[in-house]
Amino acid sequence: MDKPVRVRFAPSPTGPLHIGGVRTALYNYLFARKHGGQFILRIEDTDQGRYVEGAEQYITDALHWCGIHPDESPDSGGEYGPYRQSERKEMYKTYARKLVESGHAYYAFDTPEELEDMRNSKQAQGVHSPTYNAETRSEMRNSLTLSSPDSMDLIARGMPYVVRLKVDPNEAITFTDAIREEVTFNSSELDDKVLLKADGMPTYHLANVVDDHLMKISHVIRGEEWLSSTAHHVLLYRAFGFEDMPTFAHLPLILKPTGKGKLSKRDGQKLGIPVFPLRWEDSDPANRFDGFKDVGFLPEAVLNFLAFLGWSPGTEQEIFSLEELVEAFDLKRVSKGGARFDYDKAKWYNQQYIKEQADPHLAATLQPWIDQSAHDIDPVILTDVCRLMKERVEVLPQIIEDGYYFFTDDIEYDEKTTKKKFKEGVEQCLFDINEAVQNLEDWSAEALQTEVKTIIEHHELGLGAILPLLRLSMAGTLKGPDLFDMIILKGKSVFNKRLLSFISYAKALTNA
Ligand code: GLU
């Protein structure tokens, strides 16, 4: 790579950062790290109408939770700041003016009504979706149709105006996209985009291109929805005479779990799955979303899952640490086609990461759920509970929810299985086991297992007749960790209490 790699993630703070945005940030980050470059966070907050309080903080928090740390950002600063576009406002005006002076842009004074009239009359003439362009601009009120003194006079009198890019028709605009190869647009299909709005704020197009140039961005890696804007951006680079046009890379869309259509924030609510990294709530109760973190995902798992949403390493390996992703990442292996958001796969990744966690660390991660739990969680056994449960959960709170029986004696028994298994002749065996357990000296799972099996054999019963009953007594269900590990963890007196409770429940149920 000839010029130093500098990439940016440039979200607009218009709401919570969608998981697709996190993927864009991740790919930028991986690319920067892989090539020894810089990863920049730039906040594109020039659209005041869409600005949402708290959204910038959300973006920062989300990246922090994921472990994607920018080298330059509004918070950490950097050589090319400020990194918040609203703080660069004045500069964009200068650039817009330069384009007017060089004839690549012009002032337009049309009122909303005049614009509406133009669209209506064009539609009446059969134009499908009329725009302000090379054809229509000649009939409008702008500095190309008015004389220079008239335009200046309007400006001097405080007439609201915008600055528009003058797009010449019939030109091929070609650029190379690192993912899509050569992309060509015909300039006749493009409108004369507004660059500077009547409130003096730049539009996305102007601010984005000026900043990419000033911040020496080498690669623009962003979502596919920006592909068509790139044609205007290329024109802007040409118009400014900037010779450092970045390499573009447009990432595939993230599709709904069905594979049909783009994943939206409402899909998350509809399907009960997270599509944001962290919780978001605002004054509108309809806008409350739980994030991956809140439903119990580990950030490493989310990153690994996201990395594979549109990229693949070309090998069988699926589990990648962040360092390994940096090593393996290549824009050439990013797909063009949309990537289906497969929540089951996300949970699978989480499961792989949860079971690799150290038990004390996992126990500490559970704090938010411990705080909310109806049970009194014993911190002394929590680490052991994590050890026993971590192999069998997909999201963190399941350790506490599925393993509730570690924290209460109030067990919810599986009625059907109890009826099926609590047969005549088992009761005495259970009592004998209880007695042996109470007298067991070597309190280890191995010794316990040997003892219990000996008694079952002595009663000439099968293991399948008794072990499920012991399991039901301890956990209420046949699912869960190893039976003997559970008994060892809870101790003799709990075993005694639970076994007796279970026997009376089972007897009442089966009228035995
Ligand atoms: N502000 C744009 C957004 O919200 C940035 C797109 C780009 O990366 O150019 O996604």
Side-chain angles (χ1 to χ4, degrees):
M1 227 147 280
D2 32 10
K3 55 183 174 183
V5 167
R6 288 179 54 81
V7 294
R8 84 304 192 270
F9 175 51
S12 299
T14 54
L17 180 64
H18 186 273
I19 205 70
V22 182
R23 185 198 58 177
T24 301
L26 173 65
Y27 284 16
N28 273 285
Y29 175 86
L30 296 176
F31 188 78
R33 288 289 167 274
K34 167 125 191 185
H35 298 287
Q38 305 295 305
F39 169 64
I40 291 129
L41 171 65
R42 182 172 77 220
I43 299 293
E44 301 207 328
D45 58 349
T46 56
D47 191 345
Q48 289 171 329
R50 294 183 64 220
Y51 181 83
V52 171
E53 198 64 43
E56 182 185 329
Q57 189 59 45
Y58 182 96
I59 293 164
T60 309
D61 294 346
L63 295 183
H64 182 78
W65 179 67
C66 291
I68 305 177
H69 303 295
D71 301 301
E72 298 166 29
S73 70
D75 282 349
S76 61
E79 228 183 292
Y80 300 86
Y83 294 90
R84 213 175 267 120
Q85 286 186 330
S86 56
E87 294 167 20
R88 304 167 67 83
K89 191 177 152 187
E90 290 312 311
M91 206 181 51
Y92 305 119
K93 282 189 193 157
T94 316
Y95 277 91
R97 214 170 297 130
K98 274 190 201 168
L99 285 190
V100 175
E101 281 160 15
S102 65
H104 291 100
Y106 58 93
Y107 299 115
F109 305 97
D110 317 275
T111 63
E113 294 72 38
E114 286 167 342
L115 291 169
E116 186 60 31
D117 286 350
M118 179 270 277
R119 279 191 286 266
N120 291 340
S121 87
K122 286 287 157 191
Q123 259 161 357
Q125 291 165 28
V127 180
H128 186 57
S129 30
T131 57
Y132 208 115
N133 59 15
E135 196 197 317
T136 52
R137 73 166 87 101
S138 58
E139 298 156 26
M140 305 301 289
R141 229 154 39 112
N142 52 53
S143 57
L144 300 176
T145 55
L146 299 171
S147 68
S148 180
D150 284 352
S151 298
M152 288 307 122
D153 185 48
L154 284 178
I155 293 175
R157 282 197 285 125
M159 176 81 177
Y161 67 89
V162 299
V163 173
R164 285 183 181 271
L165 179 67
K166 182 168 169 280
V167 179
D168 294 332
N170 297 319
E171 258 181 49
I173 305 164
T174 301
F175 59 90
T176 309
D177 185 285
I179 297 163
R180 274 143 234 276
E181 285 139 39
E182 208 173 84
V183 182
T184 301
F185 287 91
N186 183 332
S187 67
S188 300
E189 290 157 16
L190 307 181
D191 62 335
D192 286 359
K193 279 263 178 284
V194 172
L195 301 177
L196 199 71
K197 292 180 283 187
D199 63 3
M201 278 295 211
T203 56
Y204 155 70
H205 304 285
L206 177 66
N208 190 269
V209 166
V210 166
D211 284 349
D212 283 348
H213 165 68
L214 293 176
M215 295 182 180
K216 295 200 166 49
I217 298 303
S218 62
H219 295 75
V220 167
I221 305 172
R222 62 184 169 199
E224 185 182 302
E225 62 271 32
W226 303 102
L227 184 64
S228 60
S229 300
T230 309
H232 281 105
H233 297 181
V234 172
L235 289 179
L236 279 169
Y237 273 90
R238 287 188 198 161
F240 280 122
F242 297 157
E243 277 168 9
D244 57 352
M245 192 156 78
T247 302
F248 294 98
H250 288 91
L251 307 176
L253 290 179
I254 298 186
L255 306 175
K256 293 179 198 300
T258 55
K260 293 197 188 91
K262 196 176 155 189
L263 180 74
S264 76
K265 61 180 181 180
R266 299 290 167 208
D267 289 326
Q269 279 177 327
K270 245 188 293 168
L271 301 168
I273 58 177
V275 295
F276 295 107
L278 309 178
R279 174 170 300 144
W280 172 266
E281 44 197 339
D282 55 35
S283 51
D284 181 355
N287 282 344
R288 193 201 139 103
F289 305 96
D290 271 345
F292 273 87
K293 180 183 180 199
D294 313 285
V295 299
F297 275 80
L298 294 168
E300 302 87 327
V302 175
L303 286 189
N304 200 152
F305 165 66
L306 288 181
F308 274 73
L309 268 187
W311 168 84
S312 77
T315 63
E316 294 293 298
Q317 187 181 346
E318 288 188 281
I319 302 295
F320 281 78
S321 66
L322 193 53
E323 293 72 41
E324 288 173 317
L325 284 174
V326 167
E327 188 58 38
F329 188 73
D330 188 345
L331 282 176
K332 288 201 188 76
R333 299 208 59 88
V334 173
S335 65
K336 293 191 200 58
R340 190 172 73 83
F341 182 84
D342 180 353
Y343 188 57
D344 288 332
K345 193 75 194 187
K347 286 191 289 188
W348 178 83
Y349 272 111
N350 205 36
Q351 188 174 32
Q352 309 313 308
Y353 279 87
I354 288 176
K355 62 185 187 197
E356 292 307 322
Q357 295 285 307
D359 304 323
H361 177 74
L362 202 50
T365 318
L366 291 178
Q367 200 55 48
W369 294 282
I370 295 173
D371 295 342
Q372 286 164 26
S373 175
H375 303 300
D376 204 2
I377 310 282
D378 179 354
V380 178
I381 66 160
L382 187 60
T383 305
D384 288 313
V385 173
C386 287
R387 173 172 55 81
L388 299 186
M389 291 296 293
K390 69 182 181 183
E391 297 273 345
R392 41 201 95 238
V393 299
E394 290 178 322
V395 288
L396 294 168
Q398 270 184 295
I399 295 181
I400 293 175
E401 285 160 13
D402 293 0
Y404 74 97
Y405 43 79
F406 285 106
F407 310 108
T408 175
D409 290 331
D410 198 3
I411 309 288
E412 206 180 299
Y413 303 113
D414 171 348
E415 196 179 299
K416 216 168 125 200
T417 318
T418 307
K419 272 190 187 150
K420 205 166 114 200
K421 291 285 172 188
F422 197 80
K423 295 201 179 116
E424 228 172 290
V426 298
E427 198 179 342
Q428 192 52 50
C429 180
L430 294 176
F431 283 135
D432 290 353
I433 289 174
N434 192 20
E435 196 183 327
V437 167
Q438 299 309 315
N439 294 327
L440 190 69
E441 276 173 22
D442 175 5
W443 193 241
S444 70
E446 295 71 36
L448 179 66
Q449 182 169 3
T450 313
E451 188 72 13
V452 169
K453 286 185 176 167
T454 310
I455 298 168
I456 298 174
E457 274 164 29
H458 183 74
H459 279 263
E460 296 185 346
L461 289 167
L463 296 181
I466 296 298
L467 296 184
L469 293 168
L470 296 178
R471 213 169 227 302
L472 285 167
S473 75
M474 288 302 291
T477 157
L478 296 187
K479 285 189 260 157
D482 179 77
L483 169 66
F484 303 103
D485 283 338
M486 280 198 281
I487 301 175
I488 292 292
L489 182 60
K490 292 305 292 180
K492 291 180 182 177
S493 77
V494 170
F495 178 70
N496 175 54
K497 190 173 163 195
R498 291 197 185 178
L499 189 63
L500 298 185
S501 299
F502 174 67
I503 292 172
S504 30
Y505 161 79
K507 283 174 82 168
L509 186 73
T510 57
N511 297 318

